Amino acid sequence: MLRRQLLIGLSVAALAACSSGSSGRIGPDGLPLPQVYKITAADTGDIQFRMLDSINTLRQAAGVPAVELDAQLNAAAATHSRDMAVQNRPWLFGSDGSSPLDRARRVGFRGRIVGENISESYETELETLAAWMNQPDTRNVILDGKARRMGFAWYQEPAGKIWWTLNMGTDAVAAPVVQTAATGAAPFQLGSF
């Protein structure tokens, strides 16, 4: 009797170990259905640094210098991600007609914008990066040798859709000084954009 209970107990334990323990559903093809990639505020740093590390690995393989996260470009990217969600369309212009350059200026970014990549998806940041690397125009933004700064942010809708924005820019550019010889007036600064 004890032997029988032991065998039943081991069988139940073995079956329990075989189950994945997840509540994921299986599709008609027998494969697991995709899960919503939920992002919390606590994930922000991890996601941004995971993207930074991945991009710098790709840049190193391409023989171009690494980039650093830039708080101002992160802010410009976050603003645009939320705005794309409000507009319900992925495009480079804000609802107010702003360009990536305009948004970078608004947050005080002193470099030049090299490019902006955007995406509307349910995918993770690394799946999104892989999709960007598969397209020549978005890959060129990521691998542009002039870029030294990176901003990366997103907005996730309650249903799970994510609006991703990646900004690449140069280091700060000194504004040229222009002397006015005719009037002898003090020099003034031209904008760097």
Side-chain angles (χ1 to χ4, degrees):
M1 179 78 160
L2 181 62
R3 185 175 188 179
R4 185 173 170 190
Q5 289 175 339
L6 182 62
L7 285 175
I8 292 173
L10 287 174
S11 298
V12 169
L15 287 175
C18 291
S19 72
S20 65
S22 70
S23 61
R25 298 182 349 220
I26 302 297
D29 58 0
L31 297 175
L33 292 173
Q35 301 280 327
V36 173
Y37 181 57
K38 280 294 199 183
I39 302 172
T40 67
D43 298 326
T44 300
D46 290 341
I47 290 171
Q48 285 178 325
F49 283 106
R50 191 164 37 245
M51 183 62 100
L52 176 68
D53 289 344
S54 299
I55 285 177
N56 280 334
T57 299
L58 293 167
R59 289 175 65 85
Q60 181 181 18
V64 294
V67 294
E68 296 177 13
L69 274 177
D70 185 283
Q72 293 165 325
L73 289 179
N74 286 343
T79 299
H80 190 55
S81 293
R82 185 160 184 78
D83 189 45
M84 286 189 298
V86 169
Q87 296 180 69
N88 197 32
R89 64 178 171 179
W91 74 322
L92 297 174
F93 295 98
S95 57
D96 60 355
S98 63
S99 69
L101 176 65
D102 297 327
R103 292 186 294 275
R105 278 184 184 160
R106 286 180 191 160
V107 296
F109 182 67
R110 305 262 314 144
R112 289 196 175 95
I113 293 296
V114 172
E116 180 175 81
N117 290 347
I118 57 172
S119 179
E120 167 195 13
S121 74
Y122 290 89
E123 298 175 331
T124 69
E125 68 279 359
L126 297 181
E127 290 169 322
T128 300
L129 176 59
W132 285 337
M133 290 302 291
N134 283 327
Q135 298 298 318
D137 56 342
T138 52
R139 180 178 53 245
N140 290 342
V141 169
I142 293 166
L143 299 179
D144 191 308
K146 295 181 297 287
R148 297 292 184 278
R149 302 280 174 197
M150 178 186 107
F152 182 66
W154 57 89
Y155 174 77
Q156 186 167 35
E157 296 178 356
K161 185 190 295 184
I162 307 169
W163 301 85
W164 300 102
T165 304
L166 170 74
N167 289 320
M168 300 295 273
T170 66
D171 282 330
V173 178
V177 176
V178 177
Q179 292 280 4
T180 55
T183 64
F188 73 101
Q189 298 284 330
L190 290 178
S192 62
F193 298 96

